[in-house]
């Protein structure tokens, strides 16, 4: 059976399709020359060598639409598709730098990126990698970079907004799927950013230019005829790169404090006991894919990757924690853990055209093992989610769930209850176990050393 | 120098640019790119020459 990937419909150059579980890309006849040039120019080899482009092989497979194509490639599979609004600022910046580096290398070989969508970048083996092999076209002399506006909307605008206004503005990317409009960006940024060379030019003046030419009545030469020398184009890319490099966001100082406190707590006997228990439990679970829900700075995600060898998506709602986790992964060159921003009380929904362009978080599962440590009280008490509903939700996330039960007497739950009325009469171990048994078999239950908590391994029925 | 000049012209653009509906960002981006690209080449060239001059003095200094 052939199934066309719903997100891949815009590009006339080709599209992705799945056949018998394998993902392929059809290259339409109209794009064959550009694809040939990508290979012939040596750009493909260079980008793959630098791990900037997803490798692929040409395969003898019939195209999904043979009328318009005679060529099919099979790209290396990406373990988990993530979206720019799920990235911390450091990840978005890395993706932006990768995009500009790809464009720079392409220009050296007489080619250019047709688009600069952040969705074309995925974290593959720990690095930002372009997954759209059909993004390249030859660059005739004098041709401007048509993706310039898109690059600014998808990358520079959110980076500047997160750095100069509030990191939460990165979430605007969730509603603005083609990047944050520059007029909106310019109106939100503080006035002083106009005086910064990179932001002043590429965001503020750029936004003004878009406004001026929006109605096409500026009386100037039409955009189509505009020429841009190669030197000017190179300078433009360099200037964008300099601007992107400056958008380094610093996590809140409180996040750093928590981070170091957590690291210190690792040496405590209680934490050592918990690490030992989780290690032992994970060792008995075969897993290729793991989601660590409520991962904080990802200590247990890294442990899970180490113990099981699985690819771990480390999901956390706090941008500072994700940023610190991402930096740790970079420092350790850990390609098996992908830190990701997601609020589980409002996880990524299905979005875009026909609700099919961008998948919801759950659509990208299920995984072999879900790790839910120190999470249940945040959802059940912090967000009033009834235990049966929570357990039902977990069935769609993974086959096996390793979940920590945190009782009411626990100091962290007491802290949550100190600011709200205790309307959680059903929040007890028996109700938890009853809710779990509805959907899972309880495979094991052990006390977490030095605490009132218990660690359960749940196996989904069927 | 180049920076100051462009900075000033940018400010003028921003202050006097009419606020109209956001319709077609494509044309504005391309026209703007041609303009900015040219300015940047001047900037980069000036920087290269400035470095050369400085090196000349450093060598003789």
């Amino acid at each position: 059976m052939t199934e066309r990937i719903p997100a891949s419909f815009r590009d006339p150059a080709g599209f992705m399709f799945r056949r018998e579980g394998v993902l392929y890309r059809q290259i339409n006849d109209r794009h064959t020359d550009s694809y040939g040039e990508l290979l012939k120019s040596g750009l493909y080899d260079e980008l793959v060598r630098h791990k900037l482009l997803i490798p692929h092989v040409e395969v003898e497979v019939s195209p999904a639409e043979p009328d318009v194509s005679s060529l099919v490639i099979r790209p290396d599979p990406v373990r988990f598709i993530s979206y720019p609004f799920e990235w911390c600022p450091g990840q978005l910046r890395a993706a932006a730098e990768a995009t500009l580096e790809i464009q720079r290398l392409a220009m050296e070989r007489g080619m250019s990126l047709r688009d600069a969508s952040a969705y074309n970048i995925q974290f593959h083996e720990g690095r930002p990698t372009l997954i759209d092999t059909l993004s390249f076209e030859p660059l005739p002399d004098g041709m401007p970079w048509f993706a310039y506006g898109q690059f600014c909307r998808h990358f520079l605008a959110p980076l500047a907004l997160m750095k100069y206004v509030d990191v939460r503005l990165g979430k605007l990317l969730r509603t603005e799927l083609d990047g944050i409009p520059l007029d909106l960006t310019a109106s939100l940024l503080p006035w002083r950013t106009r005086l910064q060379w990179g932001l002043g030019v590429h965001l503020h003046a750029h936004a003004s230019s878009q406004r001026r030419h929006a109605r096409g009545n500026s009386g100037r030469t039409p955009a189509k005829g505009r020429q841009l020398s190669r030197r000017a184009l190179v300078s433009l890319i360099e200037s964008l790169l300099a601007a992107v490099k400056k958008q380094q966001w610093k996590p809140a100082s409180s996040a750093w404090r928590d981070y170091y406190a957590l690291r210190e707590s690792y040496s405590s006997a209680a934490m050592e006991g918990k690490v030992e228990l989780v290690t032992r439990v994970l060792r008995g679970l075969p897993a290729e894919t793991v989601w660590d829900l409520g991962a904080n700075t990802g200590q247990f995600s890294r442990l899970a990757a180490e113990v099981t060898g699985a690819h771990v998506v480390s999901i956390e709602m706090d941008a500072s924690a994700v940023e610190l986790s991402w930096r740790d992964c970079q420092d350790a060159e850990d390609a098996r853990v992908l830190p990701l921003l997601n609020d589980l009380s409002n996880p990524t929904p299905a979005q875009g055209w026909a609700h099919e362009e961008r998948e919801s978080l759950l659509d990208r599962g299920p995984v072999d093992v879900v790790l839910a440590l120190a999470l249940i009280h945040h959802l059940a008490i912090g967000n009033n989610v009834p235990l049966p509903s929570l357990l039902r939700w977990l069935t769609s996330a993974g086959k096996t769930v390793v979940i920590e039960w945190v009782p009411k007497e626990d100091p962290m739950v007491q802290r949550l209850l100190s600011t709200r009325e205790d309307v959680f009469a059903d929040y007890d171990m028996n109700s938890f176990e009853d809710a779990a048994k509805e959907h899972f078999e309880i495979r094991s239950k052990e006390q977490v050393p030095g605490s009132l908590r218990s660690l359960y391994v749940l196996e989904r029925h069927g | 120098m180049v920076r100051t000049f462009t900075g000033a012209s940018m400010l003028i653009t921003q202050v006097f640019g009419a606020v109209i509906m956001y319709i077609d960002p494509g044309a504005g981006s391309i026209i703007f790119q041609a303009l900015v690209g040219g300015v940047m080449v001047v900037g980069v060239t000036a920087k290269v020459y400035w470095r050369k001059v400085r090196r000349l003095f450093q060598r003789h200094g």
Side-chain angles (χ1 to χ4, degrees):
Chain A
M1 201 188 97
T2 302
E3 173 207 352
R4 208 177 146 146
I5 302 301
S8 184
F9 66 88
R10 275 204 182 86
D11 191 357
F15 59 87
M16 301 289 296
F17 64 93
R18 187 178 281 122
R19 192 177 284 156
E20 274 131 41
V22 182
L23 214 52
Y24 298 102
R25 189 182 286 279
Q26 163 171 327
I27 301 178
N28 292 344
D29 292 338
R30 58 180 296 161
H31 191 76
T32 316
D33 288 350
S34 294
Y35 169 72
E37 190 57 30
L38 169 70
L39 302 183
K40 208 173 77 201
S41 64
L43 179 59
Y44 170 81
D45 287 332
E46 185 172 27
L47 291 175
V48 167
R49 197 169 54 246
H50 286 101
K51 299 194 169 178
L52 286 166
L53 176 64
I54 196 90
H56 71 261
V57 285
E58 289 178 17
V59 285
E60 298 285 324
V61 164
S62 58
E65 287 179 12
D67 291 354
V68 290
S69 160
S70 49
L71 185 60
V72 173
I73 60 171
R74 191 185 65 226
D76 277 5
V78 175
R79 299 300 290 266
F80 184 87
I81 297 290
S82 60
Y83 301 131
F85 48 83
E86 298 173 327
W87 300 341
C88 65
Q91 288 170 308
L92 186 63
R93 202 161 58 92
E97 286 181 22
T99 303
L100 292 172
E101 179 62 5
I102 292 165
Q103 173 66 7
R104 198 184 63 77
L105 292 169
M107 288 189 318
E108 278 178 8
R109 293 180 188 260
M111 298 200 84
S112 178
L113 280 173
R114 288 188 299 141
D115 47 20
S117 166
Y119 295 87
N120 282 348
I121 299 285
Q122 288 299 325
F123 289 92
H124 180 60
E125 292 170 2
R127 288 159 174 266
T129 308
L130 179 72
I131 56 161
D132 186 6
T133 315
L134 306 188
S135 274
F136 298 93
E137 63 183 355
L139 178 67
D141 275 338
M143 193 171 93
W145 191 31
F146 287 110
Y148 171 59
Q150 194 181 34
F151 180 87
C152 293
R153 291 195 305 277
H154 280 232
F155 293 106
L156 194 54
L159 283 170
L161 287 170
M162 286 193 281
K163 179 179 161 88
Y164 289 100
V165 188
D166 194 306
V167 70
R168 289 168 293 184
L169 284 182
K171 288 182 187 165
L172 276 177
L173 286 171
R174 184 154 141 178
T175 50
E176 301 293 342
L177 288 183
D178 195 24
I180 306 174
L182 297 189
D183 59 337
L184 175 61
T185 306
S187 70
L188 290 171
L189 282 173
W191 203 90
R192 68 192 154 100
T193 54
R194 287 163 195 249
L195 303 175
Q196 232 196 63
W197 175 248
L199 301 186
V201 171
H202 299 300
L203 294 182
H204 289 287
H206 190 173
S208 303
S209 174
Q210 287 185 340
R211 274 199 295 269
R212 253 197 333 281
H213 297 281
R215 286 203 292 216
N217 60 356
S218 59
R220 293 177 180 224
T221 328
K224 250 189 166 168
R226 287 290 162 142
Q227 297 270 308
L228 190 68
S229 76
R230 191 59 61 87
R231 275 177 65 195
L233 198 52
V234 170
S235 307
L236 185 85
I237 302 301
E238 279 176 8
S239 159
L240 280 172
L241 187 61
V244 164
K245 278 185 189 293
K246 276 188 194 147
Q247 308 311 312
Q248 192 152 14
W249 177 74
K250 289 191 189 83
S253 52
S254 59
W256 280 107
R257 268 200 306 277
D258 293 350
Y259 176 69
Y260 286 117
L262 197 71
R263 281 203 149 182
E264 251 170 56
S265 76
Y266 255 67
S267 51
S268 73
M271 192 50 117
E272 263 178 30
K274 182 169 175 177
V275 169
E276 221 169 87
L277 172 61
V278 174
T279 306
R280 186 156 41 78
V281 162
L282 286 173
R283 211 161 259 152
L285 300 173
E288 278 183 27
T289 47
V290 173
W291 282 357
D292 182 6
L293 304 180
N296 205 316
T297 42
Q299 274 80 0
F300 282 98
S301 308
R302 276 182 284 282
L303 181 76
E306 224 175 277
V307 174
T308 63
H311 180 264
V312 182
V313 183
S314 178
I315 297 169
E316 167 59 43
M317 67 177 284
D318 179 58
S320 294
V322 178
E323 179 80 20
L324 292 171
S325 180
W326 160 250
R327 290 182 191 181
D328 273 352
C329 288
Q330 291 293 289
D331 292 346
E333 291 182 11
D334 193 340
R336 292 168 308 184
V337 178
L338 174 65
L340 220 57
L341 204 52
N342 228 308
D343 176 359
L344 293 174
S345 68
N346 179 21
T348 303
Q351 295 207 108
W353 170 242
H355 300 287
E356 287 184 327
E357 249 185 293
R358 310 288 168 225
E359 291 184 314
S360 76
L361 178 65
L362 281 187
D363 285 342
R364 286 170 279 166
V367 283
D368 298 328
V369 172
V370 171
L371 204 55
L373 305 175
L375 173 76
I376 195 163
H377 52 303
H378 288 292
L379 292 171
I381 291 179
N383 198 48
N384 294 36
V385 178
L387 288 174
S389 172
L390 207 159
L391 269 299
R392 194 171 54 244
W393 186 83
L394 284 169
T395 57
S396 2
K399 227 172 92 220
T400 306
V401 178
V402 178
I403 186 166
E404 186 176 25
W405 166 251
V406 187
K408 250 187 199 171
E409 301 74 33
D410 187 275
M412 295 311 284
V413 179
Q414 285 302 313
R415 199 199 280 184
L416 280 175
L417 285 172
S418 66
T419 53
R420 67 197 77 209
E421 191 190 345
D422 185 356
V423 291
F424 310 97
D426 291 338
Y427 188 86
D428 58 52
M429 194 185 265
N430 286 337
S431 307
F432 168 72
E433 288 187 3
D434 286 346
K437 282 176 194 159
E438 280 282 307
H439 310 280
F440 299 92
E441 183 195 327
I442 298 178
R443 266 183 48 177
S444 68
K445 171 188 174 183
E446 286 186 67
Q447 179 89 23
V448 178
S451 77
L452 300 165
R453 303 177 177 195
S454 309
L455 191 70
Y456 286 79
V457 178
L458 310 177
E459 192 78 44
R460 198 173 58 195
H461 293 315
Chain B
M1 176 66 186
V2 174
R3 278 187 187 201
T4 325
F5 171 71
T6 348
S9 59
M10 266 159 38
L11 282 184
I12 292 165
T13 319
Q14 283 161 28
V15 173
F16 294 104
V19 181
I20 50 172
M21 278 269 288
Y22 175 82
I23 300 164
D24 173 23
S29 287
I30 292 162
I31 294 167
F32 178 72
Q33 190 180 152
L35 195 84
V36 162
V39 174
M40 278 171 182
V41 169
V42 175
V44 170
T45 315
K47 218 191 259 176
V48 169
Y49 278 101
W50 173 241
R51 277 195 202 130
K52 276 188 183 167
V53 169
R54 222 169 45 179
R55 226 176 292 148
L56 203 69
F57 277 104
Q58 278 167 352
R59 220 178 286 157
H60 292 290

